Amino acid sequence: MKQRLDIAASTQQARLMAKAVALARQTRAIGRLEIGVDAHQDTDGPRVIGPNLVVELPLFDQRQATIARLEAERREAERRRERVIIDAHAEVRVALAQLTSARDVVAHYQRTLLPLRRSIVELTQEAYNGMFVGAPRLLAAKRAELDASRGYVEALRAYWSASAELERAVGGRLGTTHADAVTTAQRTK
């Protein structure tokens, strides 16, 4: 989950809101502070230039409303962060389930369906050579083998799509473990 940018962004937002609340609480007793230069001239007198300092002492308004608003925004940011984390976990679980299902389908094609269709075509070819079956039966067996091969390619496409979806849900590369498993299975067929 550390790779997910949406989780990192919501965590950073919650952290910033907590700092804003802490800063508002620390500066609640300090009001407005202005420092400057002031010039004054009477009608008949000289012009006087000097420093100007304005200090506001908050006796009645110690920013309770601002602090309460910031607290509410901090709680909202925390809840948003928790919701993003929960949604991310759910998204990863769904993508992993889809990947596992697609991997099982590919494995079924590799272990069972494709070898079975190949052996059916070989046996039908031998029966055709011995004149026990006709050409339509041999063509039907070959068509079924091609349909199984086409289904296998579709299953591989679904597997790699599910793999890409899981990488997107995780927020980064998965590594080579699942790719190695499929490549090894393809070499053994």
Side-chain angles (χ1 to χ4, degrees), residues 31-36 51-57:
R32 189 177 59 152
L33 180 66
E34 292 181 12
I35 300 174
N52 183 13
L53 177 66
V54 176
V55 177
E56 178 184 50
L57 296 174

Side-chain angles (χ1 to χ4, degrees), residues 2 4 18 43 53-54 76 84-85 91 95 123 137 147 155-157:
K2 293 179 183 177
R4 297 271 310 224
T43 54
L53 177 66
V54 176
E76 180 184 347
V84 166
I85 289 173
E91 193 176 332
L123 292 173
R137 190 128 186 220
D147 287 343
L156 277 177
R157 183 197 59 77

